[in-house]
Each structure stands twice: as C-alpha cells, then as structure tokens.
C-alpha cells in the first residue's frame, strides 16, 4: 500500500499534499557530504535524520546554537526568585516563625530550598523547552509515510527537503540529491491528509473531561461556603467519633432514656456547695443589681492576693485586654482587621468600669459578657476574686492624679522607660 | 552495508590493538549499527523472557504485594505495628529511607557526572543505572511518606494555603529533605525518560503488534531523529547533566542534614554530608554491579556491558569504600578531639555498646570487603564481584542502622535508655521494598530499552565523520 502511495501517478495522491523529497544514505560520511551540498545549494527548509546525534552536522547543515540555554537560565532564575519570595513571605511576613530569637528571614537556612527550586525549574524548563522548540510531541509526521524511514532509528541516514522551500523543484531537487552518495532512489513523500489528526472521540473527550474535572472542585467550593444540618462527611475520622455517649443524646440503658442523669434528690455534687452567695456569685441579694461592693469575707485583700491576681490576669486576660488593660492584647492586635466580625475588648479604664462594683466585675469573669466568653472553667472562685482585686489596682494605677504622688514616687515614675 | 561502513571507518581509525594511544573499544566484537539495535531490542522483542526472569518475578512480585498489604494495614492501624518506640522513634523506616536514597545515587552519578567528564564508557550502563535510580527513589520515598503516621496530613509538608493560615517551617532540614528528594526524583525521571525517547522510537519502528506500536509510539513523542532536533536534544541532555550533577551531591547532603543539624551526639558532625555522599555512591555502584552482572548474562548483552565497564565500577567501589572507611575513623578521631564527653560516649557506645555487633558488621562489609577489589582477578570475576557487592550493600544498610539506632537508643537520660527490636512488620516492609525494586527493575528489563541504543551507536567508530570540511560552526546562521 505504501509502495503505491509513493508513486506520483496514483490518483489518491491528488488529495495528499506533497511534503518533499527524501534521500537515504548508508553511512555518516555520505550524509555529511550530501548535507554540505544541499547547504551550499542554498536550501533552507530541509533536515537530516539520523539514528544517533552526528557530531559536526550542525556545521555541515549550517545552523547555529539553539537558544534553549537562555530559556533554561530564565527558568532557573524564576525558580530561585520563587524560592526566596516563598520562604521570606511565608515564614517572615504572613506567618512569622520565631525560633530561638533567630531572625525571621536569613539567607543561609534558605539556601537548600533556593538550590532545589532553581534546579527543579531549570530541569523542567530544559525538558519542556527542548520538546517545545523541537515541535514535539507530534502524533504523526509525513515522513512516517515513507516505509524505509523506519530505519532512521536503526541504521540508516536520511535527508529530506521540504516542498515549502523556495528553491524546491520536484525534479531539480531530486536530481541534486541523486547526485549525492544515496543508497536508494530519491523519492517524493506525500502528506498524510487527516492521519495525524486526533480522532473525534479524543477531541470530544478533551473538551468534556476538563469540564467534568471541574465538578468535584465546584462541589468542594460550595461545600466550604455553605452550612448543613448533617454531620460532616469524614473519610478519615481520626479520633473525632468515639465510642461514648455524647451530651444530650439518647441512652437506652436507663429507663427514662436520658443520657444526662438528673441529680439525686437531697444531694449536692462534690465541690458544688455554695453557701456563701457573695463569694460565688458576686451578689449580696436576690435582685438583678445587688452587686457586692466589698470583697467577700473569706478573701483577704493583701499583697499576696494582688500578686496572684496579676499573674492570673496576665495569663488569662492579657491576651485580649493587654497587660495594662487598654485592650491591645496580642490576640486582639492580630484579629483586628483580619476578621471583620472581631469586636476589640473595651478598655478596662472606661469611666463606667472605674466605678463598677467588684461583684459585677467578678460576674463578668465568671459568666462572660456580650462577646467576651466566660472564664469560670479556667479560674477558681478565689483566683477570680484575685483578678478583680488586681483589675481594681490596675485601674487605680492608670488614673492616679500626679499631684498626689510624693516627690520620690514622681521621680520613680518619670525614670521608667516608655 | 556492514562491510562498507566498517571499511570506511577502519581506513581512518587505527586499530586499537596496535595503537597504544587508543583505548579498547567500548563495544566488543564485530558489530555494526544494525546488529547493535537488534541485539538490544531483542531483549524486549523475544517472545518470552529467560526462565530466570520468571523465577525472579515469582519472588519479587509476592514481596511487592506484601509491601502494599503492610502499607494498607499501617494506614489502618498506625505506626505502632513497627518497632518504633521511645527512645528509638526513628527506626527502620528512616534506615531504609536513607539506604534506598543512597542506592539511588549511582544512576544519576553515572549519567550526569561521568557524562560531564566525558567518560564514554558510561553509555552502555547508564540507562539501567538510571532506571535503578528511579526505582530506588520510589522505594526511598515510600518510607518517610508512610512513617509520618497520619498520611492524609502529608499535605502539611507542602506550602499549600490553608484555613489554619499556617505555613511550613522552611528552616527545618526535614522540609529541605522533602524538596531535595522530590526534586531529585523529578529530575532523574526527566533525565531517564528524555534519554530513552530515541530508543523508544526504535522500539516503535520495530514494533510488530499494534499495541506495541501505539504504546511505544505515544512515549516516543513522534521522534524522527532530525538533526535539528538532535542538536537541541543534546544541548538539553548536557544541561540536564549539568543540573543533575550538583543535585546528586546535594541530595544525600540534605539527607545527612536531617541528622547533622540536630544536636544529638553522634549525629551533629560536619563530616556527615561528604561522608553520606561517598557512602551513597559506594552503595549505588555496588547495587548496579549486583544487578548488571546477572542481567547482562541473561539478556545477552555482554558485548555492550563489557568486563571493562564492570571493572571500572569496581574501581569506583574501592575508592568510595576507602573514603567511607576514612570517615568512620575520622568520626572517632573528632569525638576524641572534641573533648566532649557526650560525643565520646556516643562513639564508644557505637562500637562497644549494645549495637557493637551491628557496628562490626558494618566495618567488615564496608571497609574490608571492597579492599578485595585491589586484585584484578577478583575485580574481573563476575561471581566474586557480585559477592563483594552484596556484602557492601549489607554493610551500607547496617551503616544507616548504626547511625540512626545507636545514637537514639541511649539518649541523655539513662533511665530512658532502651534497646530497639524490630517487629515482623519491620522486616517484611524492608523485604517488600526490595521486592518492589526488583519488580520494577524486571519490568524495565523486559519492556524498555535496557541500554541506550542511540548513545552506544554514537561511541562506535563508525559514528564519527571523517572529513571535516569547510563547516564553520553555525557561521552566519541564526539560532533556532
């Protein structure tokens, strides 16, 4: 069938465009000689085909260095810059990693990744750049229509001149090649019409597949931005679901099926005996505003209590309220602006708080207020009172009239570095 | 055609047997391009592989399946199935990881470094060695990936924007390791595959069945041996080699940082990077020899993978083995010279502590065994060299075992000291990784061009043109 295809007289050929002519050689030397001849004849659109890279053929064919190395250089520099920017931005800017007080960004520890990404990008650039410049991959090429061309990957050497070449003439070019050391007839090669094209089903697949691939992505995106009453789908549950009864669930073990057990009549759980109302609630009466204005009798307000309060305050409250209580804690600093819903804590030195009864401040700590959560789980009653005492002291410290200070104290205050 | 090509060539090239300036031919026997193609392609084209191939497959395939089974069980159950316990929490998985990464060095080293140094003898062994690199990296990469425990959290290693607004810690050697090993795997794969494309085209053009034609055809990317393409191809190959060379040296250096950057006695030493690299080359070459000796006999490739190749590799093995021996001695010297009691204890513990047996296995296999290669008789005897090389690989596995375990088992708190013992799963995982490696290698031998056909042709005397005429290189032409 191929043999027929090569005869120019065959009627089927008219539909198939002429690609060019091809000559076959047995060894490197004849090929080189032929290449020089074609080069000197002034042809431009032609190529030689060999089973292995023939050294020196560039000169014989008259073409220069590829610009691939420049492309690779650019890729390498891109990789290098990405490595520097990535490490600097992620570890020093967006999420500062402070490790043993070392600088957030320094070159030496960044070198390994810089090196790796430079090499990686250059290598990818080399690989894809080379194929790109070579115009590969190709599904088909007219030369593959020439049966003998199969031996180009084995032991034969070919020279093909394209019909697109301005100097090309079917007979003249054939004659030129025939005058070189060919080992077979110089023959024309015809294009292959549709043979190189993708089959239709592949084309359709190529269109449909990316769209189908977007479906799971779209599903994930919607799932991330919507709520659902159902529990979340967990492929790997880790230890989230454990074999235990959760709060407010049914428990068939008990007759009333309630998982939470009611308190037994006439008893009190350990540690929940709260006889001293003022100590536990900060109130002195049943009314809504019966706030205690004094510390409970069992709490001795002394320096030890203030010290304890200071420690607890700095641990529990300063993250939001700041160590001076003005509301500049680290959590608040980081969250402000980043989360629009964040309400910064109010200053503990607001007018109304200065005169607030101690019982009410105590209540704020135990039960939380508006957007501030309750801290009764983290703090004992005694510690909460200690914090109240410390907050009161803190308020005094920030609003003390200067003229009431003794001269020594005034000097001391002035000497504190700001 | 043979006679004319040969006749042409021998007119110019002086017979190596009479001209002392000429090295021995790289291809043995009376071969031309046609017979080289045929003999190499025959491995994949013969209807059935040799019996030994089936035997090897029958051993390695079940081991591979065992490995997959264990990995499944590990994911389901957790790393507790291995012997990793405090104080030895970095146990066999890391030992195996470092061992396999080491093996993975020979391939790219042979391909890249020997290529840049224009050591033409590399051409017939580089393909198989590169393949081994890829398969060894596959085995190596498996270990850190599965030993992190909750493998579905692995994406934490990559800089992926996430809802914790948190990024990986780029100053950790463990993260460098991720980048180094994955870059190495990628570059080695590109290098291997790119080198194989022209040979895949040969397979495509010789294919007798439609399936083969299509399969090889797809991977041959439409290669048609055009000189303009070859030119860019060779440039790209050179560039990749130049990129891979520092990469080879860096991978094991970075792996050694995992140890050296920590502050544990026995690990925290500056000698680690070069010492690891030498050890890697050592074990890698030993593995190449171990596999190439049977492979060249089985697949009838003795004329391309010649005794000269094997001998050269054995010379590299003695050289690197001696370097490794030097490193062992130097470690002791530095421990003594540092004056640090902890450092000294770590080394005395290494050589005379509970793992003394492992230490002395390591020394005998790595330092003493390769010295036999000083004798030409042993260096050129296939059986003897395989035996030595197997010892070397046993030794190199023990080296990583000794480094990892003997430092961890006795840490700073004597009450926490312990003795590591592997579980059955540890042993099966290691054997399974060998199975995986062998399976991949066997498949490669059978279905892919085991020797770089085009490259071998290009180092044959017939490949060199003999009249350098008026070819001003690239004069007056535009780049393309």
């Amino acid at each position: 069938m191929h043999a027929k295809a090569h005869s120019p007289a065959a009627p089927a050929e008219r539909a198939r465009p002429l690609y060019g002519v091809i000559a076959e050689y047995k060894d490197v030397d004849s090929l080189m000689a032929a290449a020089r001849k074609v080069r000197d004849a002034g042809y431009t659109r032609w190529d030689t085909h060999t089973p292995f890279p023939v050294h020196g053929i560039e000169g014989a064919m008259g073409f220069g260095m590829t610009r691939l190395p420049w492309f690779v250089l650019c890729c390498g520099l891109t990789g290098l810059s990405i490595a520097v920017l990535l490490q600097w931005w992620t570890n020093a800017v967006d999420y500062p990693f402070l490790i043993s007080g070392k600088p957030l960004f320094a070159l030496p520890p960044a070198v390994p990744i810089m090196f790796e990404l430079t090499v990686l990008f250059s290598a990818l650039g080399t690989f894809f750049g080379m194929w790109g410049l070579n115009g590969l991959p190709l599904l088909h090429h007219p030369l593959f229509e020439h049966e003998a061309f199969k031996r180009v990957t084995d032991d034969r050497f070919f020279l093909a001149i394209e019909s697109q070449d301005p100097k090309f003439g079917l007979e003249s070019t054939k004659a030129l090649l025939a005058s070189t050391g060919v080992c077979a007839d110089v023959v024309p090669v015809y294009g292959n019409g549709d043979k190189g094209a993708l089959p239709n089903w592949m084309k359709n697949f190529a269109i449909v597949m990316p769209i189908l691939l977007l479906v799971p992505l779209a599903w994930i995106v919607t799932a991330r931005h919507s709520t659902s009453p159902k529990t979340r789908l967990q492929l790997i549950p880790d230890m989230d679901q454990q074999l235990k009864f959760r709060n407010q669930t049914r428990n068939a073990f008990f007759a009333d099926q309630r998982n939470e057990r009611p308190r037994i009549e006439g008893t009190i759980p350990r540690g929940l005996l709260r006889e001293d109302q003022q100590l536990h609630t900060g109130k002195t009466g049943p009314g809504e505003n019966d706030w205690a204005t004094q510390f409970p009798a069992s709490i001795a307000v002394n320096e030890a209590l203030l010290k304890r309060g200071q420690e607890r305050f700095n641990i529990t409250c300063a993250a939001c309220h700041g160590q001076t209580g003005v509301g500049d804690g680290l959590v608040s600093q980081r969250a402000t602006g980043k989360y629009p819903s964040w309400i910064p804590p109010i200053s503990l030195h607001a007018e109304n708080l200065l005169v607030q009864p101690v019982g009410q401040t105590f209540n704020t700590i135990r039960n939380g207020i508006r957007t501030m959560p309750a801290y009764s789980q983290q703090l004992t009653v005694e510690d909460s009172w200690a914090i109240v005492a410390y907050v009161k002291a803190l308020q005094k410290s920030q609003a003390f009239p200067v003229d009431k200070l003794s001269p020594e104290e005034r000097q001391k205050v002035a000497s504190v570095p700001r | 055609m043979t006679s004319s090509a040969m006749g042409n060539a021998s007119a110019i090239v002086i017979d190596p047997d009479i001209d002392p300036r000429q090295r021995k031919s790289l291809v043995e026997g009376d071969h031309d391009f046609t017979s080289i193609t045929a003999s190499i392609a025959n491995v994949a084209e013969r209807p059935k592989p040799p019996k030994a191939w089936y035997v090897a497959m029958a051993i390695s395939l079940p081991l591979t399946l065992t490995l997959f089974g264990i990995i499944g069980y590990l994911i389901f159950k957790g790393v507790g199935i291995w012997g990793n316990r405090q104080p030895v929490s970095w146990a066999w998985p890391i030992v195996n990881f470092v061992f396999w990464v080491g093996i993975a060095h020979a391939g790219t080293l042979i391909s890249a470094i020997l290529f840049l140094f224009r050591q033409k003898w590399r051409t017939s062994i580089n393909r198989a060695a590169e393949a081994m690199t890829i398969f060894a990296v596959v085995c190596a990469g498996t270990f850190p990936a599965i030993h992190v425990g909750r493998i579905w959290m692995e994406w934490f290693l990559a800089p992926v924007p996430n809802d914790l607004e948190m990024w990986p810690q780029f100053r950790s050697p463990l993260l460098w390791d991720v980048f180094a090993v994955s870059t190495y795997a990628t570059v080695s794969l590109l290098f291997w595959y790119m080198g194989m494309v022209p040979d895949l085209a040969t397979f495509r053009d010789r294919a007798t069945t439609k399936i083969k034609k299509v399969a090889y055809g797809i991977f041959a990317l439409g290669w048609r041996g055009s000189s303009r393409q070859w030119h860019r191809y060779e440039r790209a190959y050179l560039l990749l080699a130049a990129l891979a060379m520092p990469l080879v040296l860096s991978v094991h250096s970075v792996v050694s940082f995992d140890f050296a950057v920590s502050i544990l006695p026995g690990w925290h030493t500056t000698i680690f990077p070069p010492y690891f690299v030498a050890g890697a080359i050592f074990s890698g070459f030993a593995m190449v020899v171990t596999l190439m000796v049977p492979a060249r006999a089985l697949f009838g490739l003795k004329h391309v993978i010649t005794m000269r190749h094997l001998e050269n590799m054995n010379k590299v093995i003695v050289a690197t083995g001696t370097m490794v021996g030097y490193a062992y001695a130097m470690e002791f010297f530095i421990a003594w010279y540092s004056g640090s009691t902890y450092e000294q204890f770590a080394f005395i513990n290494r050589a005379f502590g509970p793992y003394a047996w492992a230490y002395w296995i390591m020394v005998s296999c790595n330092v003493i065994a390769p010295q036999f290669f000083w004798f030409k008789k042993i260096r050129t005897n296939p059986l003897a060299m395989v035996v030595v090389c197997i010892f070397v690989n046993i030794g190199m596995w023990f080296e990583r075992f000794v480094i990892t375990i003997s430092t961890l088992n006795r840490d700073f708190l004597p009450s926490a000291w312990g003795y590591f013992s592997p579980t059955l799963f540890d042993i099966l995982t290691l054997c399974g990784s060998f199975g995986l490696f062998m399976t991949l290698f066997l498949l490669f031998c059978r279905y892919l061009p085991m020797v770089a056909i085009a490259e071998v042709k290009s180092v044959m005397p017939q490949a060199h043109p003999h009249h350098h005429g008026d070819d001003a290189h690239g004069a007056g032409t535009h780049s393309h």
Side-chain angles (χ1 to χ4, degrees):
Chain A
M1 177 220 145
H2 276 287
K4 215 194 315 149
H6 291 140
S7 128
E13 295 315 328
R14 256 169 248 131
R16 305 174 56 188
L18 178 68
Y19 172 77
V21 293
I22 189 163
E24 185 174 340
Y25 304 88
K26 264 187 183 165
D27 54 62
V28 179
D29 291 327
S30 345
L31 178 78
M32 292 281 270
R36 285 190 200 98
K37 214 167 185 176
V38 173
R39 174 196 69 188
D40 294 342
Y43 284 92
T44 47
R45 303 203 51 169
W46 61 289
D47 210 338
T48 53
H49 300 265
T50 58
F52 53 85
V54 172
H55 292 262
I57 194 115
E58 295 88 347
M61 286 176 66
F63 65 82
M65 254 290 277
T66 165
R67 34 170 212 262
L68 180 67
W70 294 107
F71 177 68
V72 174
L73 180 70
C74 295
C75 291
L77 292 176
T78 312
L80 183 70
S81 337
I82 289 183
V84 175
L85 289 176
L86 179 75
Q87 297 186 77
W88 164 77
W89 188 75
T90 56
N91 280 191
V93 179
D94 192 48
Y95 192 89
F97 262 106
L98 191 58
I99 292 156
S100 328
K102 296 194 180 88
L104 290 176
F105 181 76
L107 269 185
V111 166
I113 307 267
M114 281 158 58
F115 171 78
E116 299 300 341
L117 288 194
T118 309
V119 170
L120 182 67
F121 275 64
S122 313
L124 291 172
T126 311
F127 183 82
F128 291 106
M130 186 270 287
W131 295 121
L133 287 174
N134 274 347
L136 294 177
L138 267 189
L139 277 176
H140 197 77
H141 191 273
L143 287 177
F144 292 143
E145 294 292 294
H146 182 51
E147 187 62 24
F149 190 67
K150 278 193 170 162
R151 287 180 73 176
V152 75
T153 55
D154 181 4
D155 55 0
R156 283 301 158 96
F157 303 82
F158 294 86
L159 195 160
I161 301 182
E162 283 177 45
S163 59
Q164 300 292 317
D165 193 295
K167 293 220 144 180
F168 185 86
L170 188 53
E171 291 316 316
S172 60
T173 308
K174 262 169 95 171
L176 171 78
L177 288 178
S179 70
T180 58
V182 290
C183 67
D185 282 348
V186 180
V187 287
V189 179
Y190 290 91
N192 39 19
D194 282 344
K195 199 168 165 194
L198 278 176
N200 265 341
W201 67 266
M202 270 199 205
K203 274 190 200 146
N204 296 341
F205 185 78
I207 297 169
V208 174
M209 206 48 213
I211 298 174
L212 284 183
L213 283 176
L214 284 178
V215 172
L217 208 68
W219 184 65
I220 292 173
V221 170
T222 41
R224 281 191 70 103
H225 292 283
S226 57
T227 50
S228 155
K230 285 195 221 131
T231 37
R232 148 173 99 95
L233 182 77
Q234 271 180 307
L235 289 183
I236 298 154
D238 283 335
M239 281 165 70
D240 291 359
Q241 316 293 328
Q242 297 175 12
L243 281 178
K244 67 176 186 192
F245 288 103
R246 306 192 128 210
N247 292 349
Q248 312 289 352
T249 51
R250 191 181 286 275
N251 187 338
F253 184 75
F254 299 106
D256 60 0
Q257 307 235 327
R258 283 165 65 179
N259 189 36
E260 256 85 6
R261 301 314 299 154
R263 215 170 262 175
I264 296 167
E265 214 50 52
T267 62
I268 256 188
R270 257 168 178 275
L272 284 192
L273 178 62
R274 287 175 174 170
E275 282 190 305
D276 185 344
Q277 191 202 7
Q278 191 185 351
L279 177 71
H280 288 283
T281 62
K283 285 188 180 170
T284 48
E288 200 159 280
N289 286 317
D290 294 339
W291 300 117
T293 50
Q294 297 294 317
F295 282 84
S298 59
I299 303 287
V301 184
N302 52 24
E303 196 171 347
L305 185 79
L306 286 177
K307 277 254 172 326
R308 176 75 184 165
Q310 179 182 34
E311 187 197 59
R312 293 291 110 185
F313 179 88
N314 286 344
I315 292 172
T316 320
C317 322
C320 293
H321 287 285
Q323 297 209 342
T324 56
V326 294
D328 59 351
L330 284 177
V331 167
S332 183
Q333 281 184 27
R334 185 162 161 81
T336 306
K338 202 155 201 172
Y339 301 101
S341 61
W342 173 258
I343 295 176
I346 42 183
S347 167
L348 298 181
H349 309 293
E351 291 289 312
N352 65 322
L353 295 181
L354 295 180
V355 295
Q356 194 174 57
V358 286
Q360 195 177 354
T361 311
F362 174 83
N363 180 63
T364 302
I365 298 177
R366 303 301 293 169
N367 300 318
I369 186 161
R370 296 183 296 272
T371 50
M372 173 180 150
Y375 283 88
S376 51
Q377 294 300 313
Q378 288 90 330
L379 297 165
T380 63
V381 178
E382 288 75 18
D383 280 347
S384 305
W385 281 112
I387 291 179
V388 173
Y390 178 68
V391 168
K392 286 291 160 200
L394 200 60
Q395 289 173 340
K396 290 240 161 57
S397 77
Q398 298 291 307
F400 199 83
V402 186
D403 47 293
K404 287 204 177 148
L405 288 172
S406 68
E408 299 91 71
E409 284 172 330
R410 216 175 289 175
Q411 213 176 357
K412 212 168 152 194
V413 169
S415 70
V416 172
R418 288 228 127 215
Chain B
M1 99 127 239
T2 319
S3 59
S4 100
M6 290 295 282
N8 220 335
S10 53
I12 315 297
V13 175
I14 306 161
D15 190 320
D17 290 337
I18 35 176
D19 180 0
R21 288 168 308 166
Q22 290 281 330
R23 290 201 173 182
K24 229 172 147 237
S25 164
L26 291 164
V27 175
E28 282 178 357
D30 186 17
H31 277 284
D32 57 23
F33 299 142
T34 325
S35 66
I36 284 291
T37 317
S39 63
I40 297 170
N42 175 44
V43 177
E45 282 169 359
R46 60 207 272 182
K48 273 187 177 171
K51 275 222 179 63
W53 189 87
Y54 288 105
V55 175
M57 219 27 171
I59 300 169
S60 51
L61 200 58
L63 281 177
T64 312
L65 296 178
T66 314
L67 178 70
F68 291 156
I70 290 181
I71 293 177
Y73 184 59
L74 177 90
I75 293 170
F76 172 74
K77 194 86 181 168
V79 273
I81 64 169
W82 286 328
N84 304 27
R85 302 272 183 285
Q86 288 302 347
V88 184
S89 43
W90 259 18
W92 279 29
I94 295 299
V95 175
N96 298 342
F97 162 66
V98 182
F99 172 75
W100 281 116
V101 176
I103 299 285
H105 275 61
T108 313
L109 185 98
I110 291 178
S111 322
I113 299 190
L114 297 187
F115 178 76
L116 294 179
F117 288 143
R118 307 204 181 273
Q119 295 296 310
K120 288 193 175 152
W121 60 271
R122 72 183 256 294
T123 42
S124 61
I125 47 166
N126 71 332
R127 173 70 44 73
E130 282 168 37
M132 283 177 40
T133 290
I134 312 277
F135 307 147
V137 171
V138 169
C139 294
T142 310
F143 284 99
I146 58 177
H147 114 295
V148 296
R150 293 195 283 166
I151 60 157
W152 48 96
M153 298 305 222
E154 217 129 80
W155 59 273
F156 267 36
L157 291 168
V160 182
N162 55 62
D163 53 1
L164 302 174
E165 301 207 19
M166 200 164 74
W167 295 103
Q169 217 281 68
F170 278 104
R171 276 164 292 176
S172 157
L174 298 181
L175 195 64
W176 302 344
D177 210 12
V178 174
F179 276 79
V181 174
S182 49
T183 302
Y184 187 57
T186 314
V187 174
S188 309
L189 190 68
L190 294 181
F191 202 35
W192 180 58
Y193 174 61
M194 200 183 100
M196 209 153 52
V197 167
D199 297 345
L200 288 172
T202 304
F203 277 25
R204 169 199 68 199
D205 291 344
R206 293 171 62 93
T208 41
T209 65
K210 179 115 188 155
I211 296 179
K212 277 190 179 178
K213 199 179 164 78
V214 171
Y216 288 126
I218 287 175
F219 287 102
L221 305 179
W223 181 258
R224 55 180 193 278
S226 136
S227 292
R228 294 172 203 272
Q229 291 179 345
W230 270 123
H231 168 73
R232 297 191 195 93
Y233 176 91
E234 284 212 289
R235 271 290 130 184
Y237 199 85
L238 183 73
L239 284 170
L240 275 188
L243 289 167
M245 173 153 116
L247 194 62
V248 182
L249 300 182
S250 79
V251 185
H252 229 47
S253 302
V254 171
V255 170
S256 81
F257 288 161
D258 288 349
F259 298 90
V261 175
S262 77
I263 46 171
L264 292 181
W267 286 2
H268 191 56
T269 53
T270 49
I271 199 178
F272 260 33
Y275 153 36
F276 267 51
V277 172
I281 297 169
F282 180 52
S283 64
F285 269 77
M287 189 62 116
V288 176
V289 172
T290 317
L291 290 186
M292 289 324 273
V293 169
R296 73 185 203 126
L298 277 179
F299 296 115
L301 293 175
K302 285 189 182 172
H303 58 293
V304 270
I305 303 169
T306 63
M307 191 46 82
R308 180 176 155 207
H309 293 107
L310 298 176
E311 199 188 335
N312 278 354
M313 286 195 277
N314 291 341
K315 286 179 187 166
V316 175
I317 291 175
V318 193
T320 46
T322 313
M323 287 181 208
V324 167
Y326 166 80
Y328 295 160
M330 192 44 82
E331 275 188 319
F332 270 85
F333 171 74
I334 295 290
W336 167 76
Y337 191 67
S338 70
S340 154
T341 11
Y342 296 101
E343 201 65 32
Q344 288 165 2
F345 171 80
F347 282 94
I348 292 173
N349 180 45
R350 204 174 261 188
F352 305 107
Y355 291 101
W357 57 273
Y359 183 83
W360 294 108
I361 292 182
M362 164 188 107
V363 171
S364 5
C365 292
N366 287 352
V367 186
I368 301 171
Q371 302 308 325
F372 286 105
F373 281 159
W374 288 107
F375 304 104
K376 194 170 173 114
K377 272 242 171 63
I378 297 180
R379 201 159 72 210
T380 52
N381 177 322
L383 186 66
M385 67 175 105
V386 168
V387 171
V388 170
C389 287
I390 288 176
F391 272 116
V392 167
N393 270 318
I394 295 176
M396 283 310 290
W397 189 87
F398 270 98
E399 179 192 298
R400 280 63 178 249
F401 176 85
V402 165
I403 292 176
T404 311
I405 314 268
S406 80
T407 282
L408 289 176
N409 87 308
R410 290 188 164 176
D411 57 9
F412 295 106
L413 199 63
S415 63
W417 288 3
Y419 188 85
F420 169 82
S421 8
T423 63
L424 180 66
F425 287 107
D426 275 305
I427 296 164
L428 286 179
T429 321
L430 174 61
C431 297
S433 68
F434 272 98
L436 176 62
F437 179 76
M438 282 308 299
T439 308
L440 291 171
F441 189 74
L442 288 167
L443 289 175
F444 160 75
C445 290
R446 175 72 179 128
Y447 295 107
L448 292 175
M450 216 179 122
V451 171
I453 311 176
E455 259 189 66
V456 170
K457 285 180 198 159
S458 74
V459 298
M460 289 168 69
Q462 297 95 307
H464 303 291
H466 306 110
H467 322 284
H468 285 288
D470 45 346
D471 308 332
H473 189 93
T477 49
H478 54 93
S479 68
H480 63 134

